[in-house]
Amino acid sequence: MTGGTSRWRRSTGDATDDGAFLQGRIRLFLQVLLGFFAVFGLFGMGKVIALATGALDPGPFGDPHEQYRRALGSELVLIGIVVGLSIEQWWLKKPRDVRFLELYEWVGTAAGCATVAQVARLLPDGAPPLAAVLPVTLILVLRAGVVPSRASATLWLGMVVTVVVTYVVDRYGPRPLNPALAPYLWMVVAIWGSAFAVATAVVSRVIYGLHSEVREARKLGNYTLDDKLGEGGMGEVYLAHHALLKRPTAIKLLPPEKVGAQTVARFEREVIELSRLCHPNTVAIYDFGHTPDGIFYFAMEYLDGIDLEVLVDIDGRQSPGRVIHILAQVADALAEAHDKGLVHRDIKPANVVLCHRGGIPDMAKVVDFGLVKDIRPGAAELSTAEMITGTPAFMAPEALTRPDEMDGRADIYGLGGLAYYLLTGENVFSGNTLVEICGHHLHSEPEPPSRRGQPVPADLEAVVLRCLSKKPEDRYPDARSLRRAMLACEAAKDWSEEEAEQWWRTHHDAVAEARAQRRPPTQSPTELAVELAERTERTASAVA
């Protein structure tokens, strides 16, 4: 075991994470065993009690010495269960050193098998000796599938256990009805025990090999992937951490089968451009690159919060004061992007994350610049000019008619739709088809949000409706103007930091549940390898 997991630890390059993983697997192994053998131990004790009270015919158990021998076997099994339960509930819940875990698991498995082999004491004479071997082989097979170990370590453990079980069965096990077979009893147990030891070594080799291949095949530079956060049409997002800094990071992967060369080039430019943005309300980009098998990725700030769509799902319409507080931050972040010639083009509830970060409640973060457009003179356009991009429910009219002429005012329209959604819990326009929704954006005047069932201050309503003007020139000229207009509304002072703190405390459980429902099942820690040379060459080409 020691040699196997040491090699496994070196392959990952992170002993702390491997220790936590190994510790978790040992706990799982022990929990399953406790369940199995609690039944065996209780059954044995129940049988002995029934014999002692006369509720069960002694039969072959009539000899008092035999009753004592079998009672002792049950007690040993139960003592082992109690000890194992104590270790699982206390000792293994605390972080432990990897090397000590390896030694503990190997010795503990051998000792556990020796204890469980005491079931041989419960068997009446004439019973097949393999009945005492089966519980032990169950332990070894389960260990091979759950605990990471090299085949050689598993084989050695199996052979040691076979020797112990052979001795216990030969010394305390049932006697054959034919006395002539007694000298050969140990041979049957040893042969079958050795066969099971070889079989578990094969299982361990396959499982260990697959585990190592997965971990090596999914190493991403200095980042280790932990849990899958979500999946969309363009790729997958994982929670990860840096190997040295241990900083939580979100990694977005774009598999080659899901994106073409043009899309990859556009995302590379997106990352390069976004790396110039440093506003606190814009998600931070840390790194990007390609894996040798063509998977594009970029690493960004991990936001442990909820997007505005989830906010409305769990808390309904938001107060005017809070809407102003949130969208003023979004407008401020977009102002920096617009100053640098970048238009987001996909402002919607799912692309604004609200979190409690750095002691600041209700911090808004603008995310997902996958459709960003560079409107600086001479900037290369990596998407087709005639292509309609964005989310129909929040798409500006010019995005449908003149996508090549869009500027920052398209994001102003999206902000108006976002404000409308937060105030009413509904989109500005709805329809049975996308064509119908797009038609409303082009020709229909939005219904004032105050008519959707909740009072909205007149000054804030006027700001929202101006953002939703059909013509770009009728909207606010830039994001800073919009932000000033929002903060000038009477309701801007109606939301305080204390109220925000109280909201996060009150809705802590609902927020955690919402995040858990949107997150796929937890996976084992994984890693990916990165081709840094290719990334450097492509970065230079993109910047040029």
Side-chain angles (χ1 to χ4, degrees):
M1 176 68 185
T2 303
T5 50
S6 294
R7 177 177 172 181
W8 169 63
R9 181 176 62 249
R10 287 195 299 269
S11 70
T12 64
D14 195 331
T16 301
D17 296 323
D18 288 349
F21 178 74
L22 178 60
Q23 191 165 328
R25 285 301 184 91
I26 293 175
R27 287 196 67 194
L28 175 62
F29 175 48
L30 188 56
Q31 287 168 356
V32 175
L33 289 184
L34 290 175
F36 282 153
F37 295 110
V39 176
F40 291 149
L42 291 175
F43 174 76
M45 286 298 296
K47 191 170 185 179
V48 170
I49 292 173
L51 287 168
T53 58
L56 184 65
D57 182 13
F61 296 96
D63 183 359
H65 176 70
E66 289 296 308
Q67 292 191 32
Y68 172 76
R69 184 163 65 89
R70 287 164 174 77
L72 179 60
S74 299
E75 289 169 358
L76 288 175
V77 172
L78 286 178
I79 290 172
I81 291 172
V82 172
V83 172
L85 185 62
S86 301
I87 293 173
E88 193 278 327
Q89 290 295 321
W90 175 74
W91 193 80
L92 281 180
K93 283 192 174 182
K94 300 179 181 180
R96 300 295 175 183
D97 178 72
V98 175
R99 294 184 181 277
F100 192 79
L101 281 172
E102 294 168 354
L103 179 61
Y104 160 77
E105 188 277 324
W106 207 93
V107 174
T109 300
C113 289
T115 301
V116 172
Q118 302 299 319
V119 73
R121 297 173 179 270
L122 300 175
L123 300 176
D125 289 341
L130 291 182
V133 178
L134 290 178
V136 175
T137 58
L138 175 63
I139 295 178
L140 295 179
V141 171
L142 182 64
R143 175 196 175 275
V146 174
V147 180
S149 175
R150 291 180 63 189
S152 58
T154 300
L155 179 61
W156 275 108
L157 176 62
M159 298 307 296
V160 169
V161 169
T162 297
V163 172
V164 173
V165 172
T166 301
Y167 172 79
V168 171
V169 173
D170 184 62
R171 179 70 175 81
Y172 303 107
R175 299 296 93 188
L177 298 179
N178 184 355
L181 298 177
Y184 306 101
L185 180 65
W186 69 270
M187 294 180 59
V188 175
V189 177
I191 291 173
W192 277 102
S194 300
F196 277 114
V198 173
T200 55
V202 173
V203 173
S204 187
R205 178 176 182 178
V206 172
I207 298 297
Y208 173 77
L210 291 175
H211 176 77
S212 299
E213 288 177 8
V214 169
R215 291 177 67 88
E216 287 300 322
R218 302 181 70 181
K219 180 175 174 59
L220 199 141
N222 289 324
Y223 296 99
T224 298
L225 307 185
D226 298 317
D227 296 336
K228 188 175 183 180
L229 297 177
E231 182 174 1
M234 296 300 292
E236 303 169 341
V237 180
Y238 287 83
L239 172 63
H241 65 271
H242 193 276
L244 300 178
L245 300 177
K246 306 300 179 185
R247 174 179 60 188
T249 305
I251 302 287
K252 185 171 184 178
L253 305 178
L254 301 176
E257 67 272 12
K258 290 190 177 183
V259 293
Q262 185 183 42
T263 305
V264 170
R266 176 163 56 85
F267 271 90
E268 285 184 332
R269 180 173 290 277
E270 170 200 352
V271 176
I272 294 171
E273 296 298 342
L274 287 180
S275 65
R276 300 188 293 123
L277 301 180
C278 57
H279 196 278
N281 295 116
T282 301
V283 63
I285 302 295
Y286 297 148
D287 195 9
F288 83 100
H290 288 80
T291 63
D293 52 352
I295 298 178
F296 174 79
Y297 81 93
F298 62 85
M300 55 189 160
E301 178 183 14
Y302 171 64
L303 304 174
D304 191 13
I306 54 173
D307 63 50
L308 299 187
E309 186 175 2
V310 175
L311 173 66
V312 172
D313 285 345
I314 66 177
D315 193 37
R317 306 168 184 174
Q318 298 301 297
S319 66
R322 193 180 196 188
V323 172
I324 293 173
H325 174 75
I326 294 172
L327 295 190
Q329 297 178 70
V330 177
D332 215 15
L334 290 176
E336 184 202 23
H338 295 167
D339 288 345
K340 296 182 181 297
L342 302 177
V343 181
H344 189 286
R345 295 200 294 187
D346 198 21
I347 296 298
K348 60 182 180 181
N351 284 343
V352 177
V353 175
L354 197 64
C355 50
H356 193 298
R357 193 169 182 81
I360 303 175
D362 269 6
M363 172 174 277
K365 289 275 189 175
V366 181
V367 302
D368 199 349
F369 283 74
L371 300 180
V372 68
K373 177 182 176 66
D374 192 340
I375 60 174
R376 292 175 298 173
E381 179 55 70
L382 296 175
S383 60
T384 305
E386 292 78 12
M387 182 182 296
I388 297 176
T389 57
T391 302
F394 299 88
M395 193 178 295
E398 63 268 27
L400 302 168
T401 58
R402 305 183 307 279
D404 55 325
E405 299 178 9
M406 282 196 305
D407 57 21
R409 291 172 294 183
D411 287 343
I412 301 296
Y413 189 93
L415 270 175
L418 186 54
Y420 198 101
Y421 177 80
L422 292 175
L423 290 168
T424 66
E426 303 172 6
N427 293 331
V428 180
F429 299 116
S430 59
N432 295 323
T433 65
L434 295 179
V435 173
E436 184 179 352
I437 295 175
C438 292
H440 284 310
H441 282 296
L442 290 172
H443 308 295
S444 303
E445 290 299 323
E447 181 181 18
S450 58
R451 299 181 187 175
R452 292 288 184 99
Q454 176 172 298
V456 177
D459 52 359
L460 178 58
E461 183 172 81
V463 171
V464 173
L465 293 177
R466 181 177 175 182
C467 291
L468 295 172
S469 298
K470 303 299 181 187
K471 297 180 180 180
E473 55 269 24
D474 292 338
R475 302 173 203 149
Y476 290 95
D478 53 55
R480 287 191 178 85
S481 300
L482 170 58
R483 180 176 181 274
R484 287 194 294 268
M486 283 187 172
L487 294 178
C489 293
E490 186 67 22
K493 62 179 183 295
D494 292 344
W495 185 256
S496 65
E497 184 172 317
E498 290 73 21
E499 289 176 293
E501 285 280 7
Q502 180 60 39
W503 187 93
W504 283 95
R505 285 194 297 268
T506 303
H507 294 82
H508 177 272
D509 293 341
V511 169
E513 181 180 355
R515 285 203 301 261
Q517 290 176 350
R518 292 203 166 198
R519 179 178 295 190
T522 300
Q523 302 178 348
S524 300
T526 53
E527 303 174 345
L528 287 170
V530 175
E531 182 55 63
L532 297 177
E534 291 185 11
R535 182 183 70 177
T536 303
E537 181 180 347
R538 275 192 281 263
T539 302
S541 301
V543 173

